[in-house]
Amino acid sequence: MSEPHSESASPEAEPEPQTAEGGETRCGLIAIVGKPNVGKSTLMNALVGQKISITSRKAQTTRHRITGIRTEGDTQFVFVDTPGFQTRHNSALNKSLNKAVTGTIGDVDLILFVVEAGNFTLSDAKVLALFKPGIPALLVANKLDTVHRRSELAPWLKGMQERHDFAEFVPMSAKNPKDVARLLQVCRGYLPQQDWWYAPDELTDRSEKFLASETIREKLFRLTGDELPYSSTVVIDSFKEEKGKTVKRMVRIAATIVVERDGHKAMVIGKSGERLKRIGTEARQELEKLMDAKVFLEIWVKVRSGWADDANRLRSFGYE
Ligand SMILES: Nc1nc2c(ncn2[C@@H]2O[C@H](COP(=O)(O)OP(=O)(O)OP(=O)(O)O)[C@@H](O)[C@H]2O)c(=O)[nH]1
C-alpha cells in the first residue's frame, strides 16, 4: 500500500515514527465515498474533529481528494474525502472528479460507503460497482436523524446485505458526536499495526492556500444556492505571508471567482456588490480562525466560458 500523497511535505517535516504508550501503533487509509450530497464531507470533518472539507447543500461541492488526519490513542486515522461520484454529466470537470474517486478506492485499508439511511438509488449502485474485492467496506447509513420510521430500516439493511458483502453496518448521523465516536472505534479495528505517517498534531496534507480557495468556494456556493450553476470555481492568484507589527501573522490573499457567463458574474457580485462583500467577509472570518492570522482578502470575479470542459484550463485551476 502506497503512502498518501502530501503536497506540503518537506524532508524536515517528515515525522519521526511514533510509538503510543504501551506498544504498537496503528495507522491506515480510510476512503469516504458515495454519491453526491449524502454527507461525506460533513462526516469527514466530524471524524477529524475540525473542518477540513467544505460542505453545502449543493451536490458535488467536494471537487478534490482531501486528506483529514486524526490521531487518537495508539491510532492514526487517515481519511480521504472524495467528490460525489456521478455519471449524469460528462464534462472534463466531472471526469476529473470521478477519477479522484476511482483512483482512491483501490488503494485503501477501509472504505466507508456513505448512503442516506433507508435509501438506495441507481447513483448509489454505480458507486458500489467500483468496489474491489479484498478491501473491507462499511455501510454508513447516514442522516439517521431524518428517518421517521425506524422500523423500516431493518428490512432495508437486509436488502443492502444482499447487494454487497459489507463488513459492518453503521446507521448514524454525521451530526451526532456519539455516533461519530462509535464509528471511529469501528474503523480502528480495520487498520494495520504500523508506524504513523504524520505528526500527531497534523490535521491535513493540504496547504493553507488550498484551504483558502476551498473556503471561498464554500461561501460562494452557500450564498448563491441554486441560483448559480455548478460550473464556477475559485483560483488563488497570490498568497503572501507578511510580517505584522501588531499581530503575529498576517496573510494577504488575492483570489478570483471564475464563472461561465456575464449573468453569473452579476449574480455573484449582487446588488451594489453586497453578495460578493458577504462572501469575502465570511471567508475571511473563517480563514482567520483556521490560520490563526490576520487575513486580508481581495476577490475578483471573471468570466471564462467553457472552462469546465477545457482540460488545460482545469489543470491551470488546480484540478488533478
Ligand atoms: N440531517 C442531516 N443532514 C446531514 C447529515 N450529514 C450531512 N448532512 C447535510 O447534507 C448536506 C450535504 O452534506 P455534504 O457533507 O456536503 O455532502 P457530500 O456527500 O460531501 O456532498 P458532495 O460534495 O456533493 O459529494 C449538507 O447540507 C449537510 O449539512 C446528517 O447526518 N443529518
Side-chain angles (χ1 to χ4, degrees), residues 94-110:
N94 263 296
K95 282 186 195 148
S96 137
L97 302 191
N98 285 349
K99 229 166 113 187
V101 182
T102 48
T104 303
I105 277 181
D107 195 23
V108 294
D109 297 290
L110 179 66

Side-chain angles (χ1 to χ4, degrees), residues 24-308:
E24 292 292 324
T25 53
R26 284 172 189 250
C27 180
L29 210 48
I30 304 162
I32 305 177
V33 299
K35 73 175 178 191
N37 229 19
V38 288
K40 298 178 296 298
S41 303
T42 307
L43 180 63
M44 154 116 140
N45 292 336
L47 286 163
V48 172
Q50 184 171 321
K51 184 166 160 193
I52 302 291
S53 200
I54 63 170
T55 67
S56 86
R57 268 191 216 129
K58 217 172 167 85
Q60 289 215 303
T61 301
T62 304
R63 288 188 178 167
H64 305 268
R65 200 183 121 116
I66 296 173
T67 302
I69 306 153
R70 167 122 180 202
T71 307
E72 184 119 338
D74 64 351
T75 307
Q76 185 161 80
F77 306 85
V78 183
F79 297 102
V80 186
D81 187 15
T82 58
F85 188 85
Q86 64 124 324
T87 48
R88 217 151 31 107
H89 305 290
N90 204 25
S91 66
L93 173 62
N94 263 296
K95 282 186 195 148
S96 137
L97 302 191
N98 285 349
K99 229 166 113 187
V101 182
T102 48
T104 303
I105 277 181
D107 195 23
V108 294
D109 297 290
L110 179 66
I111 295 172
L112 303 184
F113 178 47
V114 186
V115 297
E116 286 179 4
N119 216 308
F120 189 83
T121 64
L122 187 61
S123 307
D124 295 300
K126 283 184 178 163
V127 182
L128 194 55
L130 304 171
F131 289 17
K132 309 262 177 348
I135 300 178
L138 308 185
L139 179 78
V140 176
N142 192 34
K143 304 196 186 182
L144 189 63
D145 54 297
T146 63
V147 177
H148 300 302
R149 289 199 204 130
R150 297 275 165 103
S151 57
E152 288 175 6
L153 224 49
W156 176 79
L157 283 172
K158 198 159 172 284
M160 292 303 294
Q161 205 158 16
E162 282 155 21
R163 292 185 190 277
H164 185 83
D165 187 16
F166 290 106
E168 287 182 55
F169 294 139
V170 188
M172 65 173 294
S173 166
K175 297 194 171 183
N176 180 337
K178 273 193 195 152
D179 288 352
V180 174
R182 187 167 51 95
L183 175 60
L184 205 60
Q185 273 318 303
V186 175
C187 291
R188 182 183 171 276
Y190 293 88
L191 302 187
Q193 287 195 334
Q194 59 180 327
D195 289 338
W196 293 342
W197 295 331
Y198 298 94
D201 57 352
E202 262 181 273
L203 296 174
T204 182
D205 65 346
R206 291 296 193 160
S207 64
E208 285 186 335
K209 184 176 161 188
F210 173 82
L211 295 176
S213 75
E214 289 286 273
T215 303
I216 299 166
R217 198 160 60 79
E218 179 184 79
K219 304 310 167 204
L220 170 71
F221 276 15
R222 287 192 174 187
L223 291 169
T224 51
D226 292 333
E227 251 183 280
L228 184 71
Y230 170 66
S231 46
S232 50
T233 194
V234 175
V235 181
I236 301 293
D237 304 312
S238 76
F239 185 99
K240 283 188 203 132
E241 179 123 20
E242 291 176 5
K243 282 233 161 2
K245 282 195 185 112
T246 49
V247 284
K248 51 182 182 271
R249 273 190 90 193
M250 223 163 79
V251 181
R252 202 173 285 277
I253 304 168
T256 301
I257 293 175
V258 181
V259 294
E260 285 267 7
R261 296 184 212 294
D262 286 332
H264 303 165
K265 182 173 172 176
M267 218 178 273
V268 173
I269 292 172
K271 214 169 152 200
S272 327
E274 277 304 313
R275 189 179 265 155
L276 183 60
K277 200 167 151 204
R278 213 169 138 206
I279 293 170
T281 306
E282 291 195 12
R284 180 181 52 74
Q285 286 169 344
E286 194 166 314
L287 288 170
E288 288 191 331
K289 269 196 228 139
L290 184 82
M291 302 199 265
D292 193 18
K294 175 106 190 105
V295 172
F296 292 94
L297 178 59
E298 192 179 54
I299 307 178
W300 301 90
V301 186
K302 277 188 195 154
V303 180
R304 291 283 176 272
S305 15
W307 73 266

